[in-house]
Amino acid sequence: MTRTNLLSKIQIFAMAVMANLAVVMVKAQEKAADLKVDVDVNKGGDAMGGDWMSNPLVWVIGALILIVIIALVARGGGNK
């Protein structure tokens, strides 16, 4: 076995050991999850219909308008 081949294998082994130690150190930093979550699900408090941005219909119409604008710009107005 040549000297460079042996050094290469030692380097690969050392990098693998260091990578595994890094994973162990990262896992050691984790602690138990904080499960104290306060969520307000009251949706009927606003006279204007609540948060209108959470309505999926607004997002669909906005996406369609964006697609139409992109198609019109890409077409170039049709002048040849």
Side-chain angles (χ1 to χ4, degrees):
M1 188 183 301
T2 64
R3 185 175 179 97
T4 57
N5 194 10
L6 179 64
L7 287 177
S8 172
K9 288 184 179 183
I10 291 173
Q11 287 175 343
I12 290 173
F13 176 73
M15 287 193 304
V17 168
M18 290 179 65
N20 283 328
L21 286 176
V23 169
V24 168
M25 289 174 58
V26 168
K27 295 274 187 190
Q29 298 297 322
E30 292 180 358
K31 62 177 185 174
D34 183 19
L35 298 177
K36 296 178 183 175
V37 179
D38 185 20
V39 179
D40 184 17
V41 292
N42 186 9
K43 293 189 179 204
D46 196 359
M48 297 294 287
D51 189 16
W52 61 275
M53 286 295 289
S54 64
N55 188 354
L57 187 59
V58 172
W59 288 96
V60 170
I61 292 172
L64 287 175
I65 291 173
L66 182 66
I67 290 170
V68 168
I69 290 172
I70 292 173
L72 289 174
V73 169
R75 196 166 119 199
N79 296 334
K80 292 187 179 184

